[in-house]
Amino acid sequence: MFTLDYPGSFPRIVSSLLLIVLFAGPLAAQQPTPPKPSAQTAASNQAPAFDELLATDTYKLYGEVRNVGQLLGNGGAAEIVDPIVKLADPGPQFKSIIAFLKKNSEALAQARLMFAGWAVRTDVPMVFVAIEFPTTEDATKFAPKLETFLPTVLPPVPVNPEESSAPKETKPGASANQTTAAKPNDVGEKPPARPSPGRNGAPKVEERLPFVITHASNLVCISDKPFKFSKLRPKDSRALFRDQNFRTARDQFSTEPIFLFFNVALEDKSKPSPTPVTIQVEEATQETKTSANETEQKEPTSTATPGASPETGNEFKVSEMQTERGVLGPLPSPSPTPTPTKEEQAQRIASNQIGSMLDAIGYGEPNWPEAIGLAIALEGNEYILRAVMIDKPDAKKTPIPFVPQLIGGPAFTAEAASVLPDDTDILISASIDLTKTYEGMRQAAEAKAKAEAESRVAQSRGANVDKVSDELSMRAADLSNNAFSEFEKKAGLKIKDELLPAFGHEIAFAGSMKALNAMGMSVMGMPSMPTPPESGADKTGQPKKPESVMPVLLIEVKDREAARKLMPKIMNGLGIGEANLIAQVEKNGDTETVNYAGIFAYAFVGDFLVVSDAAGVKNVVDAFVNHSTLSSNTVFRNARRWQSARTTGQIYVSPAMMEAAQADIRKRAPTMDADLRDFLLRLNPNAEAITYALSDDGMGTRHELHLPKDYILMTVASISSATKNPPPETNEGIAVAMMSTLAQIENQYKTGPGNGSYASMKQLTDLKMFPQEVWDKYGYNCEVTVNGDQFEAVATPKEYGKTGKRSFFVDKTGVVRGDDHGGAPATVADKPVQQ
């Protein structure tokens, strides 16, 4: 369940994250940049204060870790690292970093770490790290330890030719081999490289360390190249800590141990902007290409096969292709497409109509914020991720930046839970300004249609001027014929004036895990398609509830009577009424369900319009009538207690997801790695919910996500174990890919060095065309048999049930076949593999 496509990648990812947090400078130094650093320490008592180090316009990304030693010593990051070290094979570099941090956790207990990246100027390090200690004495003790340790995980790299050829600064009267000592504020302008002895008489190779360590006062700094403090924050520039957007984000997250700030609006000056001449040249080149393409389209080439008519000039080519593939006769006629029923036609029409209208919600430019603040914390049994999007004062309230036409509504007390059944697994609820959202979608759709019309007309160069003018007029008239206007014509109503006033601002989307899987939203631990509903009684003897295969859509209703009268018109607008589908009406208490031929149904329940399939709507109605709604669920109420009164959106995922993961662990326990099983069994068996809230307190849009700690540890442990001992399913998938690749390489060998013959596995290995060790790594044995102009390859698991269950077969056809043979070989009689 928890696997990666590349099993060895997880430890490297976590190792990189640790390097970013503590040694981000050296990590960035390995990027393709031309730095000239070496390890050196400059002692100075005149370093700027921690909060005054950086200017606002120096870096786009800023990070801060408070009380580094405490965070890495007990709890928090230590709990995440523990399963990685025990269950994965992270390598010596990762283990060395962990050992160094644990050994120096006391020295770092009260230290504050800053890292900055994405430099927007070329005169500063690409990445800069500063560790602030309580006293200068503490910094002086720690700097030598860091100088000794870093080269063990970040060894020297060769010096670039331009580096080694650069002239060295010398003192008057000094020899050419003596370099000037670094000044306090001019740390290492031209640091020396050190020669590395050559082997077997080879010339010596100059090397340098890919980082610079600078000790100044109570600061220990790490960077990818030498720097000046005066460049990090030039004179008369504004300090980052005084920037209004930075202050807004940092003040909101002043207590969290990890804080990140991304200055989205800051212009990157490290890359040269195109000059007007360059832009004109590019435009002219594009115009030339467009003209050439149009000329090519207007002048058909004479490529018809001799003897073929102009209309059928490609028939001979198609026949050749068929002959090459072994098709001796005409291609078989495709199976006739079954005629859709009236209900299926109506469903397609409605889906297309809704899809056409919803497409417009993504039209237009993304509404990115000016800055983003992010914080991570461990509170109780939850990992919490908090973010604030700081917008311009006059910016639209878009909850999702890349959905520019979705406009958020006012803060609300979410009431959808008072209607939904108490066993709802997932609830997504939001406050949406329907009027502004509709206006934005309509205007964006018209603007897109206008731009497309103008583009088509612009491509008609050389056409009659009157014809172009007529086409423009025609396109302008067609702008009103978009999805919204078509809906209004069919429905016989006005969306803005009649439809929207009847509804409120709360929109909710809910359902079970199985319903979401049926919609293509795979949820961990659940089948890809729902199990068909079973008839009969449950364990208590009560009739089983019908199982819904569709999520539930809820829309708040302001005027119930007006909305009730509008619904038949809405059905006509969606094409349901035009298909003459019979609507069956069923009453249950104060609710009334309208079912359209099993395609979908709707009902007015409480203050909401509920839309789903018949089973889904019935479940909602029954829960509401029987007072067994989600709002009365104790787990749901407790999970949402942290949410503020100014919530404008929320997501609730019931403990069912964590329970599914635990059930999968129990199912796999007999064949699971013993260390992984022991670790997972020590975790808290109580499943918990996942919650998220969106709010706006006037300072910016705030996002907050709460994740159960044990669920995260379970996920990290499973991924870590999979990197060392991939599950059978992972090995099988890789074996299938390798068998397919092997067939391709065999054909390449036959047409190349084989001179018409296929190769044995040893021959391919000797020629370095296929690495034999790959099979060992992923727990499979592979044997290749060559017989004349035929070859057969068979792959079997080395340990059946542990490294894999299925065996595989491939020959010169390239079709991989296989099945579970209990460890025995597969044959050509097996069915083709379906992954």
Side-chain angles (χ1 to χ4, degrees):
M1 180 176 68
F2 304 107
T3 60
L4 288 177
D5 292 337
Y6 303 96
S9 61
F10 184 68
R12 290 195 297 271
I13 292 172
V14 179
S15 178
S16 297
L17 289 175
L18 284 174
L19 285 170
I20 288 173
V21 171
L22 286 180
F23 313 119
L27 183 67
Q30 301 185 34
Q31 302 298 321
T33 55
K36 304 178 182 180
S38 69
Q40 57 184 349
T41 302
S44 172
N45 294 319
Q46 298 179 354
F50 186 88
D51 295 354
E52 302 290 329
L53 276 175
L54 302 179
T56 302
D57 61 348
T58 306
Y59 293 97
K60 290 180 73 74
L61 176 65
Y62 170 90
E64 188 175 324
V65 182
R66 296 144 185 166
N67 299 324
V68 178
Q70 294 179 15
L71 179 65
L72 296 167
N74 298 307
E79 288 186 288
I80 296 292
V81 169
D82 186 55
I84 298 173
V85 174
K86 291 181 178 178
L87 304 175
D89 188 11
Q93 182 192 53
F94 184 91
K95 293 177 181 178
S96 296
I97 294 172
I98 299 303
F100 178 79
L101 294 175
K102 288 184 176 180
K103 183 178 179 180
N104 293 279
S105 59
E106 184 175 348
L108 294 167
Q110 299 181 35
R112 184 168 52 150
L113 181 145
M114 166 205 298
F115 61 91
W118 199 334
V120 299
R121 302 200 317 264
T122 58
D123 58 348
V124 295
M126 184 177 178
V127 176
F128 173 77
V129 179
I131 308 174
E132 180 193 44
F133 290 87
T135 66
T136 300
E137 182 181 358
D138 294 329
T140 303
K141 292 180 180 179
F142 184 78
K145 298 178 182 178
L146 196 59
E147 290 177 0
T148 303
F149 168 72
L150 276 188
T152 65
V153 293
L154 294 169
V157 296
V159 176
N160 293 332
E162 62 270 17
E163 253 181 87
S164 58
S165 62
K168 296 181 179 180
E169 183 180 351
T170 59
K171 295 180 180 180
S175 67
N177 294 328
Q178 293 177 319
T179 58
T180 304
K183 298 177 183 179
N185 272 344
D186 296 337
V187 181
E189 286 299 321
K190 303 254 185 219
R194 61 185 188 185
S196 175
R199 297 181 180 177
N200 300 325
K204 295 181 180 180
V205 178
E206 284 190 314
E207 294 181 336
R208 63 172 175 80
L209 291 171
F211 56 85
V212 175
I213 298 176
T214 305
H215 169 214
S217 185
N218 66 332
L219 299 178
V220 175
C221 305
I222 312 169
S223 57
D224 61 294
K225 68 178 183 180
F227 69 92
K228 295 181 180 181
F229 286 113
S230 60
K231 293 292 185 180
L232 295 178
R233 189 194 164 198
K235 187 178 180 180
D236 298 330
S237 64
R238 184 173 54 172
L240 176 63
F241 277 56
R242 301 178 189 274
D243 179 75
Q244 182 59 48
N245 288 342
F246 182 86
R247 294 300 314 175
T248 299
R250 196 169 184 275
D251 289 349
Q252 289 200 39
F253 306 135
S254 58
T255 60
E256 283 80 357
I258 300 176
F259 167 70
L260 301 172
F261 177 79
F262 186 63
N263 195 342
V264 180
L266 183 60
E267 181 182 358
D268 189 348
K269 299 178 182 178
S270 63
K271 298 179 181 179
S273 302
T275 63
V277 175
T278 304
I279 296 174
Q280 290 174 8
V281 171
E282 291 177 351
E283 290 177 348
T285 303
Q286 184 61 37
E287 185 175 344
T288 302
K289 290 180 179 179
T290 304
S291 301
N293 291 336
E294 290 174 357
T295 303
E296 192 173 315
Q297 293 173 2
K298 292 177 183 179
E299 298 177 2
T301 56
S302 178
T303 58
T305 304
S309 63
E311 292 82 3
T312 60
N314 290 328
E315 287 182 0
F316 184 74
K317 291 185 178 181
V318 174
S319 177
E320 283 185 327
M321 291 172 62
Q322 293 172 3
T323 303
E324 289 174 3
R325 296 179 183 179
V327 181
L328 302 179
L331 291 174
S333 302
S335 302
T337 304
T339 303
T341 63
K342 181 170 60 177
E343 289 79 7
E344 291 173 338
Q345 288 179 335
Q347 190 173 30
R348 291 177 185 176
I349 293 172
S351 297
N352 290 336
Q353 183 73 34
I354 295 172
S356 297
M357 291 190 290
L358 290 180
D359 280 347
I361 203 167
Y363 294 165
E365 293 294 325
N367 189 41
W368 298 110
E370 285 195 326
I372 300 173
L374 186 71
I376 304 172
L378 172 62
E379 298 178 7
N381 292 321
E382 292 181 322
Y383 283 107
I384 302 175
L385 179 65
R386 298 183 173 103
V388 59
M389 309 291 180
I390 304 173
D391 300 309
K392 297 177 182 178
D394 57 345
K396 296 189 298 185
K397 293 183 178 181
T398 52
I400 307 175
F402 49 84
V403 185
Q405 305 309 329
L406 182 63
I407 309 302
F412 72 133
T413 302
E415 296 293 340
S418 63
V419 170
L420 290 165
D422 62 351
D423 59 354
T424 299
D425 289 328
I426 295 180
L427 168 63
I428 303 172
S429 179
S431 174
I432 305 296
D433 190 320
L434 294 180
T435 300
K436 291 183 178 179
T437 297
Y438 164 70
E439 281 293 331
M441 293 169 66
R442 182 184 59 79
Q443 292 174 9
E446 291 180 356
K448 184 174 183 291
K450 182 179 179 181
E452 290 175 350
E454 292 175 348
S455 176
R456 284 192 291 270
V457 173
Q459 293 175 3
S460 304
R461 291 196 185 94
N464 184 278
V465 177
D466 294 335
K467 182 179 178 181
V468 174
S469 178
D470 292 342
E471 186 175 353
L472 274 174
S473 300
M474 193 165 53
R475 295 297 183 190
D478 287 344
L479 290 180
S480 59
N481 295 330
N482 53 43
F484 300 106
S485 61
E486 289 179 11
F487 172 83
E488 289 181 335
K489 290 177 182 178
K490 292 179 181 178
L493 56 77
K494 293 294 183 182
I495 295 176
K496 183 177 180 180
D497 300 330
E498 300 175 65
L499 181 60
L500 298 183
F503 294 92
H505 56 263
E506 183 177 355
I507 310 291
F509 182 83
S512 65
M513 299 288 187
K514 290 183 178 180
L516 294 177
N517 282 327
M519 298 294 290
M521 304 176 187
S522 179
V523 182
M524 299 168 70
M526 303 302 293
S528 58
M529 291 296 291
T531 304
E534 300 177 359
S535 58
D538 59 20
K539 296 180 181 179
T540 63
Q542 299 295 322
K544 287 186 177 181
K545 294 191 299 182
E547 235 180 317
S548 172
V549 295
M550 284 181 60
V552 179
L553 173 67
L554 299 94
I555 306 175
E556 183 185 8
V557 176
K558 288 169 60 177
D559 189 334
R560 185 165 180 169
E561 190 58 33
R564 189 191 302 274
K565 293 178 180 179
L566 288 171
M567 286 308 296
K569 295 183 177 181
I570 295 174
M571 296 299 104
N572 287 337
L574 296 177
I576 302 298
E578 293 180 353
N580 298 318
L581 299 182
I582 298 175
Q584 298 176 338
V585 180
E586 177 184 347
K587 290 190 176 182
N588 187 343
D590 189 37
T591 65
E592 182 179 274
T593 303
V594 181
N595 181 5
Y596 278 83
I599 294 179
F600 69 90
Y602 72 84
F604 290 93
V605 184
D607 293 331
F608 288 89
L609 168 66
V610 179
V611 181
S612 184
D613 57 10
V617 173
K618 179 173 173 37
N619 289 342
V620 174
V621 172
D622 290 345
F624 184 75
V625 172
N626 297 325
H627 304 289
S628 56
T629 61
L630 185 62
S631 59
S632 62
N633 185 306
T634 303
V635 174
F636 175 77
R637 292 203 311 268
N638 290 339
R640 296 172 61 248
R641 284 182 176 175
W642 60 268
Q643 297 180 5
S644 72
R646 297 192 57 81
T647 297
T648 57
Q650 65 170 339
I651 297 176
Y652 165 79
V653 180
S654 77
M657 178 177 285
M658 193 168 175
E659 289 171 354
Q662 292 170 334
D664 184 76
I665 289 171
R666 290 191 294 270
K667 179 180 177 181
R668 295 188 296 114
T671 59
M672 188 180 294
D673 177 75
D675 292 335
L676 173 62
R677 182 173 59 246
D678 293 342
F679 180 86
L680 295 176
L681 291 177
R682 291 199 301 269
L683 298 178
N684 185 351
N686 296 327
E688 298 177 77
I690 297 172
T691 52
Y692 160 87
L694 174 71
S695 60
D696 189 348
D697 58 1
M699 303 298 290
T701 305
R702 180 173 172 133
H703 304 256
E704 186 163 337
L705 174 65
H706 288 224
L707 297 164
K709 181 183 72 173
D710 288 320
Y711 185 75
I712 298 299
L713 295 178
M714 186 191 314
T715 304
V716 172
S718 298
I719 295 175
S720 299
S721 179
T723 64
K724 184 178 181 180
N725 302 300
E729 295 80 8
T730 299
N731 287 340
E732 289 175 2
I734 293 173
V736 171
M738 290 194 297
M739 291 292 276
S740 179
T741 302
L742 176 61
Q744 296 175 16
I745 293 175
E746 283 283 7
N747 288 324
Q748 292 174 9
Y749 178 88
K750 180 184 177 184
T751 58
N755 294 322
S757 300
Y758 290 106
S760 66
M761 181 61 74
K762 185 177 185 307
Q763 288 174 307
L764 294 178
T765 303
D766 291 343
L767 291 174
K768 298 183 179 180
M769 296 182 71
F770 197 96
Q772 172 67 40
E773 60 272 13
V774 175
W775 294 106
D776 298 328
K777 181 177 181 180
Y778 294 107
Y780 266 79
N781 294 316
C782 182
E783 296 182 2
V784 177
T785 303
V786 179
N787 186 8
D789 63 346
Q790 303 285 334
F791 88 89
E792 293 181 352
V794 176
T796 54
K798 300 185 81 170
E799 295 183 59
Y800 176 76
K802 184 176 181 181
T803 63
K805 292 184 178 180
R806 292 187 292 169
S807 300
F808 303 103
F809 170 94
V810 73
D811 56 17
K812 67 179 184 179
T813 64
V815 178
V816 181
R817 302 174 180 275
D819 209 338
D820 186 345
H821 291 282
T827 69
V828 70
D830 282 311
K831 59 188 177 182
V833 173
Q834 300 290 334
Q835 291 201 73

